[in-house]
Amino acid sequence: MSRNYSPKNFLRKTPNTLLKRYFESRKLPLGIDWQKLEEADVEPVYEAILKLEQNDLIKVEKEFRQVNEMACAKGTQCLLEEGESPFHKLKLADQFEQMSDHYEKAMWMFLEHPKVFEIAESLYRMDSVGGWKHCGVYQGLEPKVEPEDLEKFAEKISEFYQKQGRGKHCHVENYLRQGPERHCYFAYPEDYARTELEYEDDVLKSVGIKPAFEVIFVYRPDTGIIETNAGGKADDVKKLQESFCQTILGLKKLPDATSRVFKLEKLKNNFPFPTNPKDGIQKVYLKMLQLELPGGRRRKITFEDGSNEKGQPIYQLIENALNQKSIPLDQVKVVKAKIQFQFEGINGKPGKTVTFDIAIPDRCTLKDDPLHQVAKKYLEEWGLMERFEIPPMPENDQDEVA
């Protein structure tokens, strides 16, 4: 979800030295005496921006929105992750420590290290989306990363979407993330053309645009799992995954593997949610449990608790509300649950929470940021999520793709 953007709020929170540097780098003199301007005195800057040429004004707002989106804790985390990676080897932690807030960090990175900022933007979006689809392949494969490989993959994606009347053009970028190792591929196919209204010299006109949309592929060599974030039907996603296997992983086809499914029956009876102290988890709460009653899918009952009381009040609700003489607990099926991780605070600050839904057979709202990674790990450890059963890779199955 995009963060709210207000031009004056952005100017108020971004240091004047960085604003001055930004406009000078874009060769957009505002006619402002920056030395006499007080911090957070936004009116002179705002009024000067409004007097820019229309094209310059549009570009400034676009770039300010980019910086604003990254001016938060998760944005800073992605900037640190990419900047301090083996690819850039920047020493950012000490520099960030001296800066006032996330706005200063984001704008400084935007100006000082634009490529790092660009990649961190993609990682931030990746951490913010849900609805991932999973499939199992083989562990320890070497994904292809050369420009010609990315071009082949882009062509495959274009071929797929052109059957839907879009996707004539496509661009693919790849990045490597650590902790755990993830090979990430971001594809940007051309979407359906559309018309928007805009003002040009105070005249309202229709303008045709060809936007791009984003499709993300992630390969995890330690588990042999591909994660895909793409809209469309299950068969469409499977075809995209097969193209990824052929062009990037060098496989002849998408291997046959069992689908990842959730097994939620353990949650019927006061599940303890054991955790390791090293993960900094203060408490795990069961916030909601949906049960399917005997007699068909349409017969469901949902128990939900909004408190964070000690223990798991959901089980008390079930005991009070469900007549087990008429409907024994072993005859109902757990079809959906909401779980909340409460993490310990650091340096006197309140701990963060991660709340997510899981539903059979394979729906999960967890995303890809570090705290969500912790939750995913425990779903497997608790036996609530089956691991993929991936058959051994046949000999010579990973070949070069023509």
Side-chain angles (χ1 to χ4, degrees), residues 132-244:
W132 292 88
K133 285 85 171 179
H134 303 77
C135 70
V137 288
Y138 307 116
Q139 294 175 304
L141 301 179
E142 287 289 336
K144 299 179 181 181
V145 299
E146 297 301 322
E148 56 267 26
D149 301 315
L150 302 185
E151 187 174 341
K152 283 183 180 179
F153 188 34
E155 289 172 358
K156 282 280 192 179
I157 294 175
S158 287
E159 289 175 10
F160 173 80
Y161 283 111
Q162 282 182 46
K163 295 175 183 178
Q164 301 177 3
R166 53 180 175 165
K168 182 178 180 181
H169 303 286
C170 183
H171 176 72
V172 175
E173 299 171 348
N174 78 288
Y175 310 116
L176 177 63
R177 301 188 75 174
Q178 302 291 342
E181 182 178 312
R182 288 158 286 167
H183 296 266
C184 309
Y185 293 76
F186 295 80
Y188 301 97
E190 181 183 297
D191 206 348
Y192 299 111
R194 67 172 187 258
T195 301
E196 292 191 350
L197 297 175
E198 71 173 26
Y199 281 98
E200 183 178 327
D201 297 327
D202 299 327
V203 177
L204 186 63
K205 294 185 177 181
S206 295
V207 179
I209 63 171
K210 293 184 177 181
F213 61 99
E214 187 173 62
V215 182
I216 308 175
F217 301 83
V218 179
Y219 171 64
R220 296 173 178 262
D222 60 334
T223 61
I225 289 174
I226 296 173
E227 298 175 337
T228 310
N229 193 271
K233 300 176 182 178
D235 286 346
D236 291 338
V237 176
K238 188 172 182 179
K239 290 175 183 176
L240 289 169
Q241 291 169 336
E242 186 148 38
S243 294
F244 180 80

Side-chain angles (χ1 to χ4, degrees), residues 61-77:
E61 180 167 336
K62 173 181 174 291
E63 293 184 332
F64 280 7
R65 283 181 177 273
Q66 286 181 265
V67 176
N68 182 79
E69 190 69 20
M70 298 294 287
C72 61
K74 285 187 177 181
T76 296
Q77 182 178 310

Side-chain angles (χ1 to χ4, degrees), residues 74 77-78 81 122-130 132 177 182 216 367-370 372-373:
K74 285 187 177 181
Q77 182 178 310
C78 289
E81 176 189 341
S122 296
L123 304 185
Y124 177 83
R125 289 195 303 274
M126 176 179 165
D127 289 349
S128 302
V129 298
W132 292 88
R177 301 188 75 174
R182 288 158 286 167
I216 308 175
K367 300 174 184 177
D368 203 70
D369 74 20
H372 288 240
Q373 293 288 340

